[in-house]
Amino acid sequence: MDAAVEIVSTRTRTLFWELSASIELTPLRACWTGEGFSPVEATQTRSGGARKQLFSSFTEGVDWTDEGQVQRALRAFEGMLDEGIDSYDWDKTLAKITAALARDGYQVSPTLQILPVGEWRPEVARHDDAAYAESLRLLRGARNAMERLGLLTPGMPEERLRDVLLVALNAYFEGRSTGETLNGKGKTDILIRVGDRNVSISECKFYTGPKSVTDALDQLLSYTDNGGRRTSLLMFYREKDPDARIADTIAAIRSHPRCESFDASKADEHRQWGFVVRGSGAPGRAPLAEVAFIPFVVA
């Protein structure tokens, strides 16, 4: 009879062992006892401090070939991810753990749940929607503040304006919002990535006429993919009364050959307009992108 195969690899467990050094003893213990595990006497001597030794005392008591025990251990791992999120070099640590779990057949959701690859849970979609909505709220708030500070933005180039927005976004997203980031077919101006999922893609552009809008929209769509279709188009206007130009912008988006719907429900209160636009590809089969248009007056 063939020997039972471990469901979670030694490599993955080693990465969590390393992560344990960043978690205080009490919450680390709670991650495991909360899933019904008790510490055992270590059979192997391993270097490391008290936190790593505590981690080993729990993991050595797990039968990594038993599906039920492994599922409980994965929940303990989820707790460790929650506790370790503020650790040094977190993004690099999470990337390594995500890659190791992927080899074991698991994925990490935006809320740091460990799921079998391909398994969908409603919380993933809800989290993405909430993060996208929050990013739009922050962008509108930054826009309003920039417009009140009339001496801040005149003469600022696009890159500096984008950097101001990144500061506002990262006050909430804690470094997960980056500029000039590769995605799709180029480098998007602003990308918010939580875990291994893109929750918001933004393109910044100065308005120079309807063609600038069409070009910016095409550029934005080139950055989308099946994992990131929540987007925003941030247009900058160098005039104090740009209402006519904003109307021209909306008309240009609505007349785009791949625009499928228009939503003005947030126009009066938030000065934000919504569109659904097909990406490149065969009609009816190309992914749909949600595009929020937010105007910025930077005269």
Side-chain angles (χ1 to χ4, degrees):
M1 180 180 295
D2 293 336
V5 177
E6 291 186 332
I7 299 170
V8 174
S9 65
T10 300
R11 172 175 173 75
T12 298
R13 302 198 306 263
T14 298
L15 290 172
F16 277 96
W17 174 74
E18 293 172 351
L19 176 63
S20 68
S22 303
I23 304 173
E24 297 291 337
L25 286 171
T26 298
L28 178 60
R29 184 185 299 275
C31 289
W32 290 89
T33 57
E35 297 301 328
F37 290 102
S38 299
V40 301
E41 185 176 351
T43 59
Q44 299 178 3
T45 302
R46 233 179 151 177
S47 61
R51 300 174 188 183
K52 289 183 175 179
Q53 291 176 12
L54 178 63
F55 174 84
S56 296
S57 73
F58 283 105
T59 56
E60 287 199 23
V62 178
D63 180 355
W64 294 99
T65 68
D66 181 89
E67 181 68 33
Q69 290 193 41
V70 168
Q71 288 305 310
R72 290 193 291 124
L74 289 174
R75 302 293 79 79
F77 282 170
E78 290 176 352
M80 290 179 62
L81 291 176
D82 283 333
E83 294 293 339
I85 197 168
D86 293 323
S87 62
Y88 173 75
D89 218 2
W90 165 249
D91 288 339
K92 185 176 180 180
T93 297
L94 180 60
K96 287 183 177 180
I97 288 174
T98 298
L101 283 167
R103 285 191 286 270
D104 294 338
Y106 295 94
Q107 60 188 4
V108 180
S109 84
T111 49
L112 303 180
Q113 286 192 303
I114 300 172
L115 317 170
V117 169
E119 180 176 320
W120 181 87
R121 289 188 185 178
E123 64 87 19
V124 173
R126 285 198 301 269
H127 180 279
D128 286 358
D129 286 339
Y132 176 57
E134 186 65 17
S135 74
L136 297 179
R137 185 187 71 80
L138 292 167
L139 288 169
R140 295 194 305 267
R143 182 264 314 276
N144 296 344
M146 292 163 70
E147 292 180 355
R148 285 192 295 268
L149 299 173
L151 298 178
L152 174 66
T153 57
M156 264 194 186
E158 179 187 307
E159 292 78 10
R160 289 289 302 281
L161 292 166
R162 179 204 63 204
D163 290 345
V164 172
L165 297 178
L166 284 171
V167 171
L169 290 168
N170 278 321
Y172 178 86
F173 286 101
E174 300 180 332
R176 297 181 181 88
S177 181
T178 58
E180 287 294 310
T181 305
L182 281 170
N183 199 75
K185 297 178 181 178
K187 291 184 178 180
T188 181
D189 282 328
I190 298 175
L191 175 66
I192 302 176
R193 181 176 289 154
V194 178
D196 197 35
R197 296 173 65 87
N198 299 330
V199 298
S200 182
I201 298 170
S202 301
E203 182 64 17
C204 304
K205 277 290 183 292
F206 276 102
Y207 178 86
T208 58
K211 186 177 186 302
S212 66
V213 178
T214 302
D215 291 345
L217 182 57
D218 287 338
Q219 189 173 349
L220 177 62
L221 293 173
S222 74
Y223 302 139
T224 62
D225 53 32
N226 287 331
R229 299 194 296 272
R230 297 169 177 85
T231 75
S232 58
L233 182 61
L234 315 178
M235 298 296 296
F236 302 132
Y237 300 85
R238 289 281 195 208
E239 48 190 293
K240 292 183 179 179
D241 187 14
D243 288 351
R245 303 291 79 78
I246 291 173
D248 290 343
T249 301
I250 294 169
I253 300 174
R254 294 188 71 176
S255 63
H256 192 282
R258 296 204 295 272
C259 182
E260 298 209 344
S261 67
F262 169 59
D263 177 14
S265 62
K266 291 183 172 63
D268 291 338
E269 183 176 359
H270 298 302
R271 278 195 297 152
Q272 174 184 311
W273 290 261
F275 305 84
V276 173
V277 186
R278 279 186 287 108
S280 58
R285 299 175 60 186
L288 295 174
E290 184 175 349
V291 180
F293 161 55
I294 302 176
F296 288 71
V297 181
V298 292

